Amino acid sequence: MKIIKQGAEAIIRLSKNKIIKERIKKSYRIKEIDEKLRKFRTKREANLLRKINFLDVPKIFNVNDKNMLIEMEFIKGELLKDFLKSNKSFDFELIGKEIAKMHDNNIIHGDLTTTNIIIKDDKPYFIDFGLGFISYKIEDKAVDLYLLRQALESSFPLISNNIFNKILQGYKLNKNHNEIIERLKKIEKRGRYKNAE
């Protein structure tokens, strides 16, 4: 089994054509609280992935909340971050359309970045719902978009505006599109004030 990613929350291993995601222990937390939290997050992520059968996301094969493991499909494609470096053409509106569907179903990704979207067969696949949750709030949906914009701007400052605008074109499918975009503008203003301080 090969470790392909090690984050703050989990270790991701590749075993044949399966991904094994293991939530790691946090020694700074009280043991019982740590176990409870990791178990809750493991279950929540697996439930979200099962619920999102209308998007391209990894299929769940097995969940072991005793060992905090999720076994899921390995999506063999290119991370959006790497794909953008290659200057290949892609219909970025598709990403916006898929996020619109996700938000219409009140699913918040929670970590919508260029490393959590994979491009495969001209389609976007969404991975790592470890910080995902259900919410009806306009604010939470706008924050999802804000995170994606921030990720694009930090890694691809010259093309981020163009790509994000295409994503927003696709996002117009969302039934609360206008409200969410208005809130996004407010969040961006707040972000600019914080940076100016």
Side-chain angles (χ1 to χ4, degrees):
M1 260 196 293
K2 186 173 104 176
I3 292 177
I4 56 169
K5 191 182 174 187
Q6 182 153 3
E9 288 288 318
I11 295 172
I12 312 288
R13 293 184 177 90
L14 178 61
S15 173
K16 293 173 184 163
N17 272 337
K18 290 177 186 173
I19 288 286
I20 314 289
K21 180 173 185 172
E22 180 188 357
R23 278 206 158 65
I24 46 184
K25 290 176 185 173
K26 299 288 187 180
S27 54
Y28 59 83
R29 285 196 292 238
I30 296 163
K31 187 173 179 271
E32 290 77 17
I33 292 173
D34 181 62
E35 279 183 15
K36 207 172 178 179
L37 199 56
R38 287 188 299 130
K39 189 176 278 198
F40 168 73
R41 287 180 178 165
T42 301
K43 278 182 174 175
R44 183 179 63 181
E45 182 174 8
N47 288 339
L48 272 181
L49 281 167
R50 286 189 180 120
K51 199 179 170 87
I52 310 169
N53 54 8
F54 51 87
L55 284 188
D56 289 308
V57 296
K59 289 180 187 74
I60 296 279
F61 298 130
N62 190 28
V63 181
N64 181 334
D65 59 13
K66 191 170 182 247
N67 296 317
M68 321 302 176
L69 298 175
I70 302 177
E71 196 178 286
M72 62 187 107
E73 176 190 12
F74 172 56
I75 307 294
K76 198 175 180 182
E78 254 185 301
L79 293 177
L80 180 58
K81 191 171 188 172
D82 299 326
F83 185 87
L84 288 170
K85 288 174 189 166
S86 66
N87 285 321
K88 293 178 200 157
S89 64
F90 183 72
D91 180 5
F92 291 102
E93 282 190 29
L94 279 178
I95 294 174
K97 285 175 182 173
E98 298 296 87
I99 299 168
K101 279 189 232 170
M102 197 191 304
H103 287 172
D104 269 342
N105 284 273
N106 303 306
I107 291 163
I108 310 300
H109 186 283
D111 193 17
L112 207 48
T113 65
T114 53
T115 54
N116 287 331
I117 299 170
I118 290 175
I119 306 300
K120 182 192 172 191
D121 302 330
D122 293 324
K123 289 194 295 189
Y125 285 71
F126 294 82
I127 61 166
D128 195 356
F129 282 79
L131 297 174
F133 57 99
I134 302 286
S135 173
Y136 298 87
K137 292 178 184 173
I138 295 294
E139 174 88 4
D140 292 332
K141 294 168 187 183
V143 167
D144 245 3
L145 291 174
Y146 179 68
L147 288 173
L148 183 54
R149 171 168 251 171
Q150 292 283 95
L152 285 165
E153 282 176 357
S154 65
S155 299
F156 303 95
L158 298 177
I159 57 168
S160 63
N161 241 2
N162 183 29
I163 289 164
F164 192 70
N165 285 337
K166 286 176 182 171
I167 290 169
L168 288 186
Q169 277 299 313
Y171 193 77
K172 282 182 178 175
L173 282 183
N174 184 279
K175 58 188 177 206
N176 298 311
H177 168 265
N178 291 336
E179 279 178 90
I180 294 167
I181 298 307
E182 278 310 304
R183 187 63 60 91
L184 173 62
K185 287 173 186 169
K186 285 178 185 170
I187 292 167
E188 284 171 342
K189 273 184 192 166
R190 290 200 304 253
R192 280 196 288 274
Y193 290 144
K194 271 186 193 168
N195 292 337
E197 282 170 7

